[in-house]
Amino acid sequence: MTQFLQISDTHIVKPGNLVSGHLDTASPLKRVALRIAELQFEVGQLDGIVVTGDVSDDGTADSYALFKSILEPLNLPIFCIPGNHDARAPFRNAFENAAYLPEKGKLNWKQKLGDLQLIGLDTLIEGQSGGELDRETLQFLKASLSDLRQAPAVILIHHQPFKSGIAFMDTIGLQKGTEKLCAILGEYQGELLILCGHVHRNISTRL
């Protein structure tokens, strides 16, 4: 059985800085890394970690380098998608050696992890808080699912494609593509799990 862990919205900034001048986000991530190391003694070896966006808060190369340095001692594959605080060019450069990101265009990707297929979708609209699933991304998803032939898949999206009940977060959620997303998912007969970030809450729902 494939075992992986989701983390999200780490909002790391370059060393020496604080988020909004007040919040230290590196220290909590260091504590999470220690807990992940402990967890593997309880549940067994993890196959990987998925990160559902807002890896960085300032989109700088230094922030991505710090993020990687904190999780590197875990020696686990890490698969990331961008959130609204990320920046595509430095994001791509930071994770290019992992070889799952495309060389150009949207940061949509697919990667096999054990007996699961991971599909990462790019909902980032640079300079805006809300997100979108554009035509390119939806076509990528449809083609990826078609190739799977109903095998189990995990889809990663930063912006939530549902109403969370948190008024502010719903105004900056997925602004475009939700209906087409649901139509594509509704055609798939295999098992699907969708993991999101963005809302900084634990919410479970069905699409």
Side-chain angles (χ1 to χ4, degrees), residues 20-33:
S20 300
H22 297 284
L23 183 61
D24 170 20
T25 51
S27 293
L29 183 58
K30 292 175 182 177
R31 293 195 295 272
V32 167

Side-chain angles (χ1 to χ4, degrees), residues 17 39 49 52 107-108 125 127-128 142 150-151 167 175 193 203:
N17 285 14
L39 185 67
I49 296 172
T52 45
L107 297 168
N108 299 312
I125 307 173
Q128 297 186 33
K142 188 169 185 175
Q150 319 308 329
Q175 307 296 301
L193 176 66
I203 299 175

Side-chain angles (χ1 to χ4, degrees), residues 1 3 5 35-36 38-46:
M1 182 179 70
Q3 294 197 120
L5 187 71
R35 180 64 185 122
I36 292 172
E38 295 172 349
L39 185 67
Q40 294 186 88
F41 288 103
E42 300 171 16
V43 302
Q45 179 68 32
L46 294 172

Side-chain angles (χ1 to χ4, degrees), residues 1 29 40-41 62 68 78 81 105 136 147 159 168 176 184-185 193:
M1 182 179 70
L29 183 58
Q40 294 186 88
F41 288 103
D62 287 343
K68 292 196 300 181
I78 299 174
I81 58 169
E136 175 188 343
D147 291 342
H159 294 86
F168 169 70
K176 176 183 174 183
I184 292 170
L185 299 179
L193 176 66

Side-chain angles (χ1 to χ4, degrees), residues 8-13 51-61 63-64 67 80-92 94-95 107 121-130 158-159 198:
S8 193
D9 293 80
T10 51
H11 288 275
I12 300 298
V13 291
V51 189
T52 45
D54 283 353
V55 176
S56 169
D57 191 77
D58 57 13
T60 62
S63 66
Y64 292 117
F67 170 87
C80 304
I81 58 169
N84 52 293
H85 283 268
D86 291 302
R88 269 194 199 93
F91 186 104
R92 194 191 313 272
F95 299 107
L107 297 168
L121 301 181
D122 182 345
T123 60
L124 170 61
I125 307 173
E126 291 193 287
Q128 297 186 33
S129 296
H158 180 67
H159 294 86
H198 199 45

Side-chain angles (χ1 to χ4, degrees), residues 66-151:
L66 178 56
F67 170 87
K68 292 196 300 181
S69 72
I70 293 172
L71 295 186
E72 187 175 18
L74 293 172
N75 196 29
L76 289 170
I78 299 174
F79 305 100
C80 304
I81 58 169
N84 52 293
H85 283 268
D86 291 302
R88 269 194 199 93
F91 186 104
R92 194 191 313 272
N93 291 337
F95 299 107
E96 64 179 350
N97 289 339
Y100 62 89
L101 293 177
E103 294 182 358
K104 59 182 180 179
K106 287 292 192 77
L107 297 168
N108 299 312
W109 54 265
K110 55 184 178 180
Q111 179 72 37
K112 192 75 171 174
L113 183 66
D115 54 1
L116 296 175
Q117 179 71 55
L118 302 180
I119 302 174
L121 301 181
D122 182 345
T123 60
L124 170 61
I125 307 173
E126 291 193 287
Q128 297 186 33
S129 296
E132 68 174 2
L133 288 169
D134 65 2
R135 183 178 179 181
E136 175 188 343
T137 299
L138 289 166
Q139 287 179 338
F140 175 85
L141 173 62
K142 188 169 185 175
S144 297
L145 290 176
S146 179
D147 291 342
L148 287 182
R149 300 184 179 181
Q150 319 308 329

Side-chain angles (χ1 to χ4, degrees), residues 157-170:
I157 309 176
H158 180 67
H159 294 86
Q160 79 280 9
F162 57 87
K163 295 297 183 183
S164 69
I166 306 169
F168 169 70
M169 295 307 300
D170 287 339

